[in-house]
Amino acid sequence: MKKPIQLVIGTQWGDEGKGKIVDLMARNADLVVRFHGGNNAGHTVVVNGKKYALHLIPSGILQKKPTVVIADGVVIDPEVLMEEMAVFEKMGINLKKKLVISPRCHLIMPYHKELDVAYENARGKNKLGTTKRGIGPVFADKVSYNGVRIYELLNWPLFIEKFKFQTEIKNKILVAFGIAPIKIETYLPTFKKLAEKIRPMIKDTFTIFQKAIKQKKYILLEGAHGVMLDNSFGLYPYVTASNVIEGGVNIGSGIPSKKIDEIWGVVKAYTSRVGGGPLTTELFDKTADDIRERGYEYGTTTGRPRRVGWLDLPAVKFSCQLSSVNRIIITKIDILSGLSSIKVCVGYKLNGRKIEFSQCGYLELAKLIPVYKSFPGWKEDITKIKTFNKLPKNCQKYVKFIEKYLEVKVKIVSVSPEREASIFV
Ligand code: IMP
């Protein structure tokens, strides 16, 4: 039987709970692949009560079977990769066997992080709320042919030459911002260590993927962020630098989109985001505080409290349509237990007129009035429930409404962070 190529994608602003889902699905996978973003993403996996926060290494690392791949579109901060690798090596995982890194990945250099902070500070009250991990600047360098790719670390003299040249240019900008110039000597030991460590893991991912496709292997593609942060289709400029939509797979891994069999859209039962920009269904009351605390809505990467609100279904539908999502996973629905009523945004009004999500620029979005549908809540703790029919009737109704609105079947409902707490519908 042909094994599928599956993509897991976030349909909101990231933090939908993709890490747990990928870990769960990775059990039988041959390859688990990250293909965009960098350590601005943070995926949390809980196994036997222990929490793992992953930023670069794909979430499938905690399953026995799969090889995990950091593919071409991922940008790598050397310090973060080293730290993350150390955690898994300590657990006895043989990364030389388990982890593959594409030679084409771009490196986040020290000046990228400095520039990210400098631009954010210069924006003042208009700051975007980036993760300050150097993401915008590293992608800007990539598209303007100024990037440094990871395979260049394997040719040390060439690497130093490039690092020096780029640092000289970037230092001029940093000095103009009033920031102390970077001295490359400070960073060379880390880069050298990384080079030695990852040499055996750098492999041609194109060949690996082509072979896996031919042999009908099960490839699981782990999307990061969420479609609302897509560089083109998200709420620009409050976006990230990657192509988060389904087409980003082809761009970031070389695996043709046409080869993907199943596209799983992850929908958190409510909305959250970190960073600036409009958030039409945002809540500022006690319900927001309750959801934030119960859902532990604090950034995995930055620890920032996340903004929270009701589920914004037109935005999610836009994401599903953009990415041909054909299966839905609802996460964190247990966090809504105990609320007397739950609202869902089903449309927007601008100056008294109905408006579609796709017609909104970000300025209009800030002025949109959400149109809500209210649902009665449920009181029961649902975290131990194993079958859909055993969920409280009101919870079932909520799920069924989401399915009907999105016109995509809900296949999994996740009721707690634990790997096993997933109801297959
Ligand atoms: P950057 O990706 O660090 O440049 O940040 C740009 C915007 O994307 C900010 O609003 C970040 O908070 C947001 N962002 C980037 N990656 C993630 C993610 O994985 N989850 C949630 N928000 C993210």
Short mmCIF file of all heavy atoms in Angstrom, two decimals, residues 11 22 25-26 30 35 50 67 72 97-98 126 155 216 219 231 237 240 302 372 381:
data_model
loop_
_atom_site.label_atom_id
_atom_site.label_comp_id
_atom_site.label_asym_id
_atom_site.label_seq_id
_atom_site.Cartn_x
_atom_site.Cartn_y
_atom_site.Cartn_z
N THR A 11 -3.43 26.80 11.15
CA THR A 11 -4.39 27.61 10.38
C THR A 11 -4.60 28.99 10.99
O THR A 11 -5.35 29.78 10.45
CB THR A 11 -5.75 26.91 10.32
OG1 THR A 11 -6.22 26.76 11.67
CG2 THR A 11 -5.67 25.57 9.62
N VAL A 22 2.22 16.44 15.63
CA VAL A 22 3.30 15.86 14.81
C VAL A 22 3.94 14.70 15.55
O VAL A 22 4.17 13.63 14.99
CB VAL A 22 4.34 16.93 14.42
CG1 VAL A 22 5.55 16.29 13.74
CG2 VAL A 22 3.72 17.96 13.50
N MET A 25 1.60 11.75 15.24
CA MET A 25 1.53 11.16 13.89
C MET A 25 2.88 10.57 13.47
O MET A 25 2.94 9.73 12.59
CB MET A 25 1.10 12.24 12.89
CG MET A 25 -0.34 12.69 13.10
SD MET A 25 -0.75 14.16 12.17
CE MET A 25 -1.10 13.49 10.59
N ALA A 26 3.94 11.04 14.13
CA ALA A 26 5.29 10.63 13.72
C ALA A 26 5.61 9.19 14.09
O ALA A 26 6.59 8.63 13.62
CB ALA A 26 6.33 11.55 14.37
N ASP A 30 8.49 7.55 8.42
CA ASP A 30 9.89 7.26 8.08
C ASP A 30 10.72 8.53 8.18
O ASP A 30 11.86 8.51 8.64
CB ASP A 30 9.97 6.69 6.66
CG ASP A 30 9.26 5.34 6.58
OD1 ASP A 30 9.74 4.40 7.23
OD2 ASP A 30 8.22 5.24 5.91
N PHE A 35 10.48 22.47 7.31
CA PHE A 35 10.85 23.04 6.01
C PHE A 35 10.83 24.56 5.95
O PHE A 35 11.10 25.15 4.91
CB PHE A 35 9.94 22.45 4.91
CG PHE A 35 8.47 22.62 5.22
CD1 PHE A 35 7.79 23.74 4.80
CD2 PHE A 35 7.80 21.66 5.97
CE1 PHE A 35 6.44 23.90 5.11
CE2 PHE A 35 6.45 21.82 6.29
CZ PHE A 35 5.78 22.94 5.84
N LYS A 50 6.54 14.82 30.95
CA LYS A 50 7.71 15.69 30.79
C LYS A 50 7.53 16.55 29.53
O LYS A 50 7.14 16.04 28.47
CB LYS A 50 8.99 14.83 30.68
CG LYS A 50 10.24 15.65 30.83
CD LYS A 50 11.46 14.74 31.03
CE LYS A 50 12.80 15.36 30.86
NZ LYS A 50 13.05 16.73 30.90
N THR A 67 13.50 9.23 10.90
CA THR A 67 14.66 10.12 10.76
C THR A 67 14.07 11.52 10.69
O THR A 67 13.05 11.74 10.03
CB THR A 67 15.39 9.82 9.43
OG1 THR A 67 15.83 8.47 9.48
CG2 THR A 67 16.56 10.75 9.20
N ASP A 72 15.78 22.50 3.61
CA ASP A 72 16.40 23.67 2.99
C ASP A 72 15.89 25.05 3.44
O ASP A 72 16.65 25.99 3.54
CB ASP A 72 16.21 23.54 1.47
CG ASP A 72 16.55 22.13 1.01
OD1 ASP A 72 15.91 21.16 1.48
OD2 ASP A 72 17.46 21.98 0.21
N LYS A 97 22.66 9.38 13.49
CA LYS A 97 21.78 8.48 12.74
C LYS A 97 20.41 9.11 12.52
O LYS A 97 19.74 8.87 11.53
CB LYS A 97 21.58 7.19 13.54
CG LYS A 97 22.65 6.17 13.33
CD LYS A 97 22.10 4.82 13.75
CE LYS A 97 23.11 3.74 13.49
NZ LYS A 97 22.88 2.63 14.41
N LYS A 98 19.98 9.89 13.49
CA LYS A 98 18.58 10.30 13.56
C LYS A 98 18.30 11.64 12.86
O LYS A 98 17.17 11.89 12.43
CB LYS A 98 18.25 10.43 15.06
CG LYS A 98 16.85 10.66 15.42
CD LYS A 98 16.13 9.38 15.69
CE LYS A 98 14.69 9.64 16.06
NZ LYS A 98 13.81 8.54 15.71
N ASN A 126 5.31 51.63 16.75
CA ASN A 126 4.81 50.81 15.64
C ASN A 126 5.53 49.47 15.53
O ASN A 126 5.51 48.83 14.48
CB ASN A 126 4.98 51.57 14.31
CG ASN A 126 4.09 52.78 14.27
OD1 ASN A 126 2.97 52.74 14.77
ND2 ASN A 126 4.60 53.87 13.72
N ASN A 155 33.77 24.55 4.93
CA ASN A 155 34.96 25.10 4.26
C ASN A 155 35.38 26.33 5.08
O ASN A 155 34.98 27.46 4.77
CB ASN A 155 34.60 25.45 2.81
CG ASN A 155 35.81 25.95 2.05
OD1 ASN A 155 36.80 26.38 2.63
ND2 ASN A 155 35.73 25.89 0.74
N LYS A 216 7.87 4.93 -1.66
CA LYS A 216 6.57 5.10 -1.00
C LYS A 216 6.68 5.12 0.52
O LYS A 216 5.92 4.48 1.26
CB LYS A 216 5.59 4.02 -1.46
CG LYS A 216 5.39 3.99 -2.96
CD LYS A 216 4.24 3.12 -3.34
CE LYS A 216 4.13 2.91 -4.84
NZ LYS A 216 4.27 4.10 -5.66
N ILE A 219 6.20 10.18 4.73
CA ILE A 219 6.89 11.44 5.06
C ILE A 219 5.90 12.38 5.76
O ILE A 219 4.81 12.63 5.24
CB ILE A 219 7.43 12.14 3.78
CG1 ILE A 219 8.32 11.19 2.97
CG2 ILE A 219 8.19 13.42 4.14
CD1 ILE A 219 8.80 11.78 1.64
N ASN A 231 4.12 35.18 4.84
CA ASN A 231 4.70 36.45 4.39
C ASN A 231 3.86 37.15 3.32
O ASN A 231 3.82 38.37 3.25
CB ASN A 231 6.13 36.21 3.88
CG ASN A 231 6.89 37.50 3.69
OD1 ASN A 231 6.99 38.01 2.59
ND2 ASN A 231 7.39 38.06 4.77
N PRO A 237 2.22 44.02 7.73
CA PRO A 237 3.56 43.51 8.01
C PRO A 237 3.65 42.66 9.29
O PRO A 237 4.76 42.36 9.72
CB PRO A 237 4.36 44.81 8.18
CG PRO A 237 3.40 45.75 8.83
CD PRO A 237 2.05 45.40 8.24
N THR A 240 5.53 36.65 9.50
CA THR A 240 6.91 36.19 9.58
C THR A 240 7.49 36.17 8.16
O THR A 240 6.82 36.52 7.20
CB THR A 240 7.01 34.84 10.32
OG1 THR A 240 8.40 34.59 10.59
CG2 THR A 240 6.42 33.69 9.53
N THR A 302 9.56 32.93 23.46
CA THR A 302 9.94 34.17 24.15
C THR A 302 9.35 34.28 25.56
O THR A 302 9.73 35.18 26.31
CB THR A 302 9.44 35.39 23.35
OG1 THR A 302 8.02 35.25 23.19
CG2 THR A 302 10.10 35.46 21.98
N TYR A 372 -20.71 37.30 15.90
CA TYR A 372 -20.53 36.09 16.69
C TYR A 372 -21.76 35.19 16.68
O TYR A 372 -22.89 35.67 16.57
CB TYR A 372 -20.25 36.46 18.15
CG TYR A 372 -18.85 36.98 18.39
CD1 TYR A 372 -18.64 38.26 18.93
CD2 TYR A 372 -17.73 36.19 18.12
CE1 TYR A 372 -17.36 38.74 19.17
CE2 TYR A 372 -16.45 36.67 18.36
CZ TYR A 372 -16.28 37.94 18.88
OH TYR A 372 -15.01 38.41 19.11
N ASP A 381 -14.91 17.96 33.04
CA ASP A 381 -13.50 17.82 32.67
C ASP A 381 -13.47 16.78 31.54
O ASP A 381 -13.94 15.65 31.72
CB ASP A 381 -12.73 17.33 33.90
CG ASP A 381 -11.28 16.97 33.57
OD1 ASP A 381 -10.85 17.22 32.43
OD2 ASP A 381 -10.59 16.44 34.45
#
